[in-house]
Amino acid sequence: MNQRLERLVDWLREKDIDFAFVQAKANVFYLSGFYSEPHERLIGIFVFPNAEPVMVCPNMEKPQAIAAGWEYDIISYSDSENYWELIENYLHKRNQIGNSIAIEQEHISYSRANALNNIYKNANFISVEEKMHSLRLIKDDQELAILKQAAQLADFGVEVGVSAIKSGKTEMDILALIEYELKRKGIREMSFSTMVLTGAKTADPHGNPGITEINRGDFVLFDLGVVLDGYCSDITRTVVYQEINDEQRRIYETVLAAQNASLSICSVGTRIGDIDKAARNYITKAGYGEYFPHRIGHGLGIDVHEFPSMSENNDDLLQEGAVFTVEPGIYVPNVGGVRIEDDIVITKEGFESLTKYPKELTIV
Ligand code: MN
Ligand code: MN
């Protein structure tokens, strides 16, 4: 059994849980190496404390699951079959009891939980979510190698975008070019909807790109990432087009210094909330506190937003191998916004930035 499954098995034994049922795409991939978008179909894994695990997946995906390295039983089904009947028969044949069942409380539908409950009427549900978070929190060398490459491709995306800035070009012109060039490098999927924003629109942290043209004196903000071999990257850079005013310069330099304040304390043992506080205190002192409305960052891995949440009230301590974003921003309505975001891994020595695109104020 692979180490990831083993760790989950150890936990089931320790907690005296009869089995875990894992069916969130990212968790299935983490445990099995099988990366697949199930849509409404079920792809899940039953993990037992004292027996081999079993996967449930559509017939048509069975060869891919095996090719990905799954070497245990597979309950496979056609679109006309009721897979819950197949699951029930399988579990009964194994004489599997289900008094306590661990499920992904944030990621399982009510109907699936009900279906399990129909098989095991007296089931007591326990959350496996936190355990999966803590397993996925520390990245191994193979994961780090992929994350590094994904970050390089994000750097490349920004490079393409910055080089394409020109009067008359729209946000979508530049966005399309970035994604086109990344697709030519083999990237099928972005880790989220690419963001290219200009001018006053940069003041919206979750703004929507459109056919707005770039004008002299605009901030241009890029926020993008790729999915590579199942892992995500996430970078933000902000540049200025042709000329800059004093307030834009002040905002930019404040965000950059705030990010450095957070980065400078990124090391093993730092309280996560303090990473947020370092940037927040800096921005507040500069008078922009009310314009930094979000947490400093989020964990990064198979999901573009995963554990841990890098928020002010998180008392957890940073551990070696944790990967997360550090992304302070200042967003002033009608003026514009700046965000600078890097992907960080905690190392023995401190931290390493996986994204490396330059950050000094750039006037294109
Ligand atoms: Mn981002
Ligand atoms: Mn982010």
Side-chain angles (χ1 to χ4, degrees):
M1 210 177 298
N2 72 48
Q3 221 179 31
R4 296 172 181 181
L5 278 166
E6 262 170 24
R7 289 193 185 123
L8 186 56
V9 165
D10 288 345
W11 178 77
L12 294 174
R13 287 181 186 157
E14 187 190 306
K15 299 280 176 196
D16 205 16
I17 296 167
D18 295 323
F19 62 87
F21 177 53
V22 170
Q23 41 86 73
K25 176 181 154 187
N27 286 336
V28 168
F29 173 56
Y30 182 79
L31 292 176
S32 70
F34 179 41
Y35 190 77
S36 181
E37 174 51 65
H39 300 291
E40 76 284 9
R41 295 189 180 95
L42 172 66
I43 297 180
I45 301 175
F46 287 86
V47 184
F48 307 96
N50 296 303
E52 289 192 341
V54 57
M55 184 184 284
V56 186
C57 84
N59 282 338
M60 62 178 173
E61 309 236 35
K62 192 175 170 182
Q64 284 76 30
I66 293 167
W70 187 256
E71 49 189 6
Y72 310 106
D73 281 359
I74 295 179
I75 303 169
S76 70
Y77 60 90
S78 71
D79 284 337
S80 56
E81 278 177 303
N82 177 349
Y83 47 72
W84 285 110
E85 276 174 19
L86 303 179
I87 290 169
E88 182 167 13
N89 290 341
Y90 181 95
L91 293 171
H92 280 172
K93 220 162 41 196
R94 271 200 180 188
N95 296 316
Q96 180 61 46
I97 52 167
N99 295 325
S100 62
I101 302 173
I103 55 171
E104 298 153 306
Q105 62 174 1
E106 308 285 346
H107 289 99
I108 190 166
S109 67
Y110 181 60
S111 73
R112 284 183 184 174
N114 263 340
L116 269 180
N117 215 355
N118 280 334
I119 300 175
Y120 295 106
K121 299 273 188 304
N122 300 315
N124 178 28
F125 288 119
I126 293 143
S127 172
V128 75
E129 205 83 52
E130 296 76 10
K131 185 60 192 174
M132 292 308 303
H133 285 161
S134 73
L135 288 175
R136 284 167 53 184
L137 177 67
I138 304 303
K139 272 65 179 179
D140 63 27
D141 289 346
Q142 191 196 342
E143 291 180 293
L144 287 175
I146 299 169
L147 284 161
K148 223 171 253 189
Q149 235 184 313
Q152 280 167 17
L153 287 156
D155 286 340
F156 171 75
V158 174
E159 193 185 313
V160 169
V162 171
S163 324
I165 295 176
K166 232 169 85 180
S167 286
K169 290 257 192 245
T170 68
E171 295 164 341
M172 289 304 289
D173 285 337
I174 294 174
L175 188 159
L177 186 67
I178 291 170
E179 295 196 352
Y180 172 73
E181 292 297 341
L182 282 166
K183 281 190 162 57
R184 292 188 65 207
K185 285 197 179 286
I187 294 302
R188 288 195 307 277
E189 201 187 338
M190 304 301 288
S191 46
F192 53 90
S193 237
T194 301
M195 194 183 281
V196 177
L197 298 174
T198 65
K201 286 174 75 179
T202 55
D204 180 357
H206 279 162
N208 292 315
I211 50 172
T212 312
E213 286 185 11
I214 296 175
N215 287 307
R216 188 179 179 81
D218 277 352
F219 275 133
V220 184
L221 183 149
F222 302 90
D223 189 352
L224 60 96
V226 306
V227 182
L228 180 72
D229 298 339
Y231 287 80
C232 296
S233 54
D234 186 5
I235 188 174
T236 308
R237 287 293 185 269
T238 312
V239 299
V240 194
Y241 184 51
Q242 289 182 333
E243 69 177 28
I244 186 167
N245 65 36
D246 290 346
E247 181 164 28
Q248 284 173 316
R249 188 180 292 276
R250 201 160 49 236
I251 292 171
Y252 192 92
E253 297 297 353
T254 303
V255 173
L256 184 57
Q259 199 210 27
N260 281 327
S262 289
L263 293 176
S264 69
I265 57 166
C266 282
S267 61
V268 173
T270 299
R271 183 182 161 273
I272 287 175
D274 292 345
I275 309 286
D276 181 281
K277 261 192 200 155
R280 197 165 304 282
N281 287 345
Y282 191 93
I283 288 173
T284 304
K285 268 188 204 141
Y288 289 108
E290 63 179 304
Y291 301 117
F292 177 23
H294 56 74
R295 62 186 174 176
I296 193 71
H298 49 85
L300 183 73
I302 300 170
D303 285 319
V304 68
H305 282 201
E306 61 179 46
F307 197 72
S309 177
M310 305 293 293
S311 58
E312 199 173 357
N313 56 1
N314 189 336
D315 290 324
D316 293 344
L317 306 183
L318 287 177
Q319 298 176 58
E320 189 182 339
V323 175
F324 54 89
T325 67
V326 175
E327 49 177 308
I330 295 176
Y331 314 90
V332 183
N334 305 315
V335 173
V338 171
R339 179 167 62 255
I340 303 173
E341 172 178 31
D342 283 301
D343 303 343
I344 298 300
V345 57
I346 295 297
T347 63
K348 259 192 201 70
E349 298 76 31
F351 75 93
E352 185 191 337
S353 187
L354 304 178
T355 41
K356 298 184 192 297
Y357 192 87
K359 291 184 275 194
E360 63 271 16
L361 177 58
T362 303
I363 302 168
V364 179

